[in-house]
Structures are given as structure tokens and as C-alpha cells.
Amino acid sequence: MTSPFGIIGRCEWVHFSELEGCDIKAKIDTGADTSALHAWKIKPFEKNGQEWVRFEIHPKQKTTEGKKMCEAPVLAKKDIKSSNGQIESRFTIRTPAKIGPHKYHIDLTLTNRDEMGFRMLLGRKAIKGRFLVDCAHSFLQSHAE
């Protein structure tokens, strides 16, 4: 079996050019349908007649160092069941993501992942038809910007 973009490991760096150019270490989660990004101070607002959301991200694990304030149009607001079974209403945005040399748009739900080990989960929809996952390794795509 082959994939157009190759193989990713259980963790990969993801670059977000439209989210202040930050790089975030993501855990690949084939059990999650949608990708999730750790976000704080999530506030909806209107811009040019469209719903947007402003939020703060902390790209580095276990610290608020390097925090960035971001804005993005709201794609949807969805009820998501978290890993602990709780249902949470989350804003969803669509933004370009780059894994290794591969750049494409993904959907991200915004949620507080402060208690989790990774600031981001990369779910099935973001990798389906693009990558195969080798769970025995990490960082198989180069971290180049």
C-alpha cells in the first residue's frame, strides 16, 4: 500500500503559516476523526459580516513561552466527544498546515489541551489519503520551513 505523501510517525512537527508561523509538535491520533489544537482565550467576533474567532496558542509543550494571538474565520461550531467521554462545543477553523514538504488545508477544533501531553492532535481526516502511519517511529517527515 502506498500514500501520496509517504509515511508519518506517531508524532510529527506541523507548521502553520497563517497561525503566526508557528511550529507545533502533534501526536498522530487515528482514533480521532478531527484534529484538535490547544487554544486559550477563545473569543468569537464579527469581521466583514462573517463569524471569526480570536484565540491564543501556546506552541511549546508544558509552557506558555512563545504564546501567539491568532485569528481565523469560523468554519463551524461542533459538539465533540473528548477522550474522557465529555461533550464539548468547539469552534472549528480551516488553515494551511505543512508536514515535512507537504502543505494542505486541515480543519482544527479549538480546545484547552493544557492537561494533555501534546498541544495538538492530528486526526484521521487530516491524514486520510495522504499519509500512512508508522507508530513505531516519530518525526519521519523532515522539519523544514
Side-chain angles (χ1 to χ4, degrees), residues 46-111:
E46 189 173 307
K47 183 175 181 178
N48 300 324
Q50 183 180 10
E51 187 177 18
W52 280 58
V53 66
R54 182 176 293 119
F55 53 97
E56 186 176 285
I57 57 175
H58 306 155
K60 297 178 182 178
Q61 288 178 227
K62 300 177 179 133
T63 182
T64 59
E65 180 185 318
K67 63 185 175 184
K68 300 183 183 285
M69 187 59 72
C70 303
E71 294 181 353
V74 172
L75 180 64
K77 192 166 185 184
K78 298 179 183 178
D79 288 338
I80 304 286
K81 186 187 283 188
S82 68
S83 59
N84 65 10
Q86 300 259 3
I87 300 213
E88 177 186 20
S89 187
R90 297 182 190 172
F91 288 101
T92 304
I93 64 169
R94 179 169 289 151
T95 190
K98 186 176 179 188
I99 300 171
H102 312 288
K103 187 175 181 179
Y104 58 99
H105 284 80
I106 64 170
D107 295 350
L108 292 170
T109 63
L110 304 176
T111 186

Side-chain angles (χ1 to χ4, degrees), residues 5 28 45 102 123:
F5 292 173
I28 310 309
F45 67 99
H102 312 288

Side-chain angles (χ1 to χ4, degrees), residues 9-65:
R10 67 179 172 259
C11 304
E12 293 291 343
W13 285 101
V14 183
H15 177 76
F16 293 101
S17 59
E18 291 185 10
L19 298 181
E20 299 296 316
C22 69
D23 295 306
I24 299 177
K25 191 185 319 181
K27 177 182 175 186
I28 310 309
D29 187 351
T30 60
D33 192 41
T34 308
S35 299
L37 177 65
H38 174 66
W40 281 81
K41 300 178 183 176
I42 303 167
K43 301 283 184 220
F45 67 99
E46 189 173 307
K47 183 175 181 178
N48 300 324
Q50 183 180 10
E51 187 177 18
W52 280 58
V53 66
R54 182 176 293 119
F55 53 97
E56 186 176 285
I57 57 175
H58 306 155
K60 297 178 182 178
Q61 288 178 227
K62 300 177 179 133
T63 182
T64 59
E65 180 185 318

